[in-house]
Amino acid sequence: RRFHISFINPNIMTEGRSNDTNNGTSNGNGKSAGPTRRSAIPLKPVVKDYAWGIRGMDSRVARYALESGTLKEVDPDTPYAELWIGTHHKGPALLESGESLKDAVGAELPFLFKVLSAGKALSIQAHPDKDKAQKLHSENPNAYGDANHKPEMAIALTPFEAMCGFRRLEEIAVLLKKHPEFAACISEEAKLAVFLSSNEESQKEALQKLFSSFMSCPREISERNLQLLLVRLQAEQSQFHPHPHDEPAWERKCGRAILRLAQQFPGDAGAMAPLFLNYLLMAPGESFFMAANEPHAYVAGEIIECMACSDNVVRAGLTPKFKDVPNLVDMLTYTMGGPSIDAGAPSNGDSRILRYTPPVSEFEVMMLTCNPGEELVFENPGVPAVLIILEGSGKLDGELVRPGRAHYYPANAPPMVFSLSDTRRGPMKVAVAHKNCHIDRPTAFNKEGSSTAGSRGLSVPSSPLPYLGLAPTFSPQVAASLQPPVLSQPKEADKLEAAD
């Protein structure tokens, strides 16, 4: 066995156990954590079930909650949706002793760490900035339970689908022409603004008019046109489906997404959201960052999610929950393009530790991979952290850990030592979240912060016009933006489209 002695601290000495095989540590307040000391202390997360979750043991959230002791048994009919690891008052995690994580840390963590299992789409939503959050909380504390902002980062654990950010106006213009049912839900003023916008200011105004008009469309009109659109799309997807080369891939994705959303939320006009929001398909290990006031909706798949410590959500569609359309229309930034796709960056040159760092101070995520026969030492970042075992059974400081085990890692604890037997057939993967220690070196960016951010080298989707053989009918400034981007090699998730 390996002894990792990095420093001597009276707070972490074991009492009468000088030859203990585990590293000693305190729980963050200098309190004793028991006769056997660990660098990381087991946690019990909080499980949440929502209608959009995945049912029973098919849900990663359910399996993790069962392994961590949060659940005693799994109900096959319950949609297990989220696993919370943090100090937020709506779901505070507990140490194995029963002490709250907040008491162990001595303060609120600035972030909330989650695992999400989405079996169907979440609502069309955005999260407020700090000023807006304070205003919403003061006006409606029942719907908005805290006054904090909620920037967030999602890291895919499985192939993951999401709608994020507004499409470029060139794409929306094409879709308005192609789908008269969609156009019938938009006012003439908004459609005119879409076709005539010529600069950044007018483009934002056009997007706001389009979104506001769609969300305020009378229900009988939107429902009737949605049904007409579904009938036509179903026919096109069956006997009248055009040759694949006659229809761009992004249009096929639109049609399929609308049919799926309409099946999940019958009669909800929000099923047409793929016609004005970017539709993304991400591979495991890829991530994106969503800043405040950006529209998005997760569609399907399982992810890790880390965010500022808040639960504020302003919703407008695809949900039975409280909808706040006026505030959502008012708060959005109305910038075009999807988020940058980030695959992480090696930490200190070690490719086994990937760093996912957003441009906000509250959090960052480290993804650790310990291969069979290896030992991986994770140095203490100097701030309180939480972690969860994602895949593979191995050892943490000499103790067996399995997927779903969550831990608290105090700021003054010795390095964590992960090890995996060479008889194992696959790696052990671990996710660690803590306050952002690399904010000067982000791996993800705001859309307005960089036009070529992200590991894929794309922050906005390409225009559909070159694929359609159409000449631009827009201003010279907009036409100049239609240069084909330099694409990287397709990820594994992109190959899944044929099987969709």
Side-chain angles (χ1 to χ4, degrees):
R1 295 191 179 184
R2 183 177 186 273
F3 293 85
H4 193 103
I5 303 174
S6 56
F7 57 88
I8 299 176
N9 188 323
N11 290 331
I12 64 169
M13 294 295 290
T14 56
E15 299 175 2
R17 297 289 298 273
S18 61
N19 61 343
D20 198 316
T21 58
N22 293 317
N23 288 313
T25 185
S26 69
N27 63 10
N29 286 331
K31 299 177 182 179
S32 173
T36 300
R37 310 304 256 170
R38 309 178 179 97
S39 64
I41 303 170
L43 276 178
K44 281 190 177 181
V46 175
V47 67
K48 303 281 187 179
D49 57 90
Y50 303 128
W52 51 264
I54 297 177
R55 297 182 183 277
M57 289 294 287
D58 288 338
S59 169
R60 188 181 299 254
V61 165
R63 299 194 300 271
Y64 286 1
L66 190 64
E67 177 63 34
S68 64
T70 301
L71 293 177
K72 298 301 182 184
E73 60 181 9
V74 172
D75 181 358
D77 296 322
T78 298
Y80 296 98
E82 297 185 352
L83 193 72
W84 289 24
I85 309 174
T87 58
H88 194 277
H89 67 272
K90 287 187 178 181
L94 300 176
L95 275 62
E96 59 181 356
S97 64
E99 182 183 17
S100 72
L101 178 58
K102 179 180 177 180
D103 289 342
V105 175
E108 292 273 8
L109 289 175
F111 60 88
L112 177 58
F113 197 35
K114 296 182 182 180
V115 178
L116 267 66
S117 295
K120 64 179 186 178
L122 282 68
S123 59
I124 300 171
Q125 60 183 253
H127 306 299
D129 57 31
K130 286 188 176 181
D131 291 339
K132 187 70 172 180
Q134 291 172 357
K135 184 174 184 293
L136 292 174
H137 178 62
S138 63
E139 294 176 350
N140 190 351
N142 291 328
Y144 304 103
D146 59 73
N148 198 13
H149 68 161
K150 192 186 175 186
E152 63 187 24
M153 173 179 283
I155 305 174
L157 299 175
T158 66
F160 183 69
E161 300 171 70
M163 295 183 288
C164 302
F166 285 107
R167 290 185 179 275
R168 296 180 68 86
L169 283 179
E170 295 88 345
E171 294 182 22
I172 295 175
V174 170
L175 294 171
L176 283 169
K177 292 179 179 179
K178 181 177 180 179
H179 301 293
E181 304 89 350
F182 173 48
C185 299
I186 309 296
S187 68
E188 295 299 323
E189 179 187 4
K191 285 184 285 190
L192 192 62
V194 168
F195 287 106
L196 295 181
S197 61
S198 60
N199 54 43
E200 183 177 355
E201 183 179 355
S202 62
Q203 288 172 344
K204 288 188 176 185
E205 290 178 359
L207 280 175
Q208 184 168 17
K209 288 179 180 179
L210 174 92
F211 186 67
S212 177
S213 175
F214 179 81
M215 298 308 300
S216 60
C217 179
R219 184 171 180 176
E220 59 275 13
I221 295 177
S222 61
E223 286 187 356
R224 181 173 67 251
N225 281 282
L226 174 61
Q227 293 306 314
L228 293 173
L229 177 62
L230 294 177
V231 170
R232 183 167 60 81
L233 290 177
Q234 288 168 348
E236 290 178 356
Q237 296 287 328
S238 56
Q239 67 267 30
F240 303 116
H241 195 286
H243 190 278
H245 292 170
D246 295 335
E247 184 180 33
W250 70 275
E251 288 194 33
R252 291 199 300 274
K253 289 180 181 179
C254 267
R256 293 171 184 172
I258 292 170
L259 291 173
R260 287 176 59 191
L261 294 174
Q263 186 177 32
Q264 295 174 5
F265 299 93
D268 192 325
M272 287 190 272
L275 297 174
F276 55 84
L277 296 180
N278 297 291
Y279 198 87
L280 306 180
L281 179 57
M282 292 167 45
E286 292 186 328
S287 75
F288 62 81
F289 170 73
M290 291 303 301
N293 303 326
E294 294 291 348
H296 60 281
Y298 298 159
V299 177
E302 294 182 300
I303 60 171
I304 288 171
E305 192 179 36
C306 200
M307 64 205 70
C309 189
S310 173
D311 193 40
N312 284 326
V313 182
V314 184
R315 304 177 181 89
L318 300 180
T319 180
K321 295 182 180 180
F322 170 66
K323 300 177 184 179
D324 195 350
V325 175
N327 271 314
L328 187 65
V329 170
D330 178 66
M331 66 188 268
L332 297 181
T333 61
Y334 296 102
T335 55
M336 296 186 297
S340 64
I341 304 301
D342 171 30
S347 178
N348 296 324
D350 189 346
S351 61
R352 299 177 302 170
I353 304 177
L354 293 179
R355 174 173 59 84
Y356 294 82
T357 304
V360 294
S361 63
E362 284 88 350
F363 63 89
E364 69 178 333
V365 177
M366 301 288 187
M367 297 288 282
L368 284 56
T369 301
C370 184
N371 296 305
E374 290 184 351
E375 186 176 79
L376 178 61
V377 178
F378 183 77
E379 298 293 339
N380 197 311
V383 291
V386 296
L387 62 130
I388 188 166
I389 310 299
L390 299 174
E391 296 179 15
S393 297
K395 290 187 176 181
L396 168 55
D397 296 333
E399 291 192 358
L400 179 66
V401 289
R402 293 190 291 262
R405 295 284 180 92
H407 293 77
Y408 160 51
Y409 186 32
N412 63 345
M416 291 187 292
V417 180
F418 298 91
S419 58
L420 194 60
S421 168
D422 56 7
T423 61
R424 305 296 298 182
R425 295 189 177 183
M428 177 170 61
K429 296 185 177 181
V430 184
V432 182
H434 54 71
K435 184 179 179 180
N436 196 337
C437 298
H438 303 88
I439 193 168
D440 58 328
R441 290 176 287 163
T443 62
F445 301 85
N446 290 322
K447 286 192 295 182
E448 296 180 342
S450 175
S451 61
T452 58
S455 59
R456 281 189 181 178
L458 283 174
S459 62
V460 295
S462 59
S463 169
L465 296 180
Y467 298 100
L468 296 175
L470 299 178
T473 56
F474 306 95
S475 67
Q477 296 94 325
V478 175
S481 70
L482 301 182
Q483 297 299 321
V486 178
L487 297 176
S488 62
Q489 291 296 318
K491 293 286 185 178
E492 184 64 28
D494 298 325
K495 301 175 185 177
L496 298 177
E497 181 190 345
D500 186 10

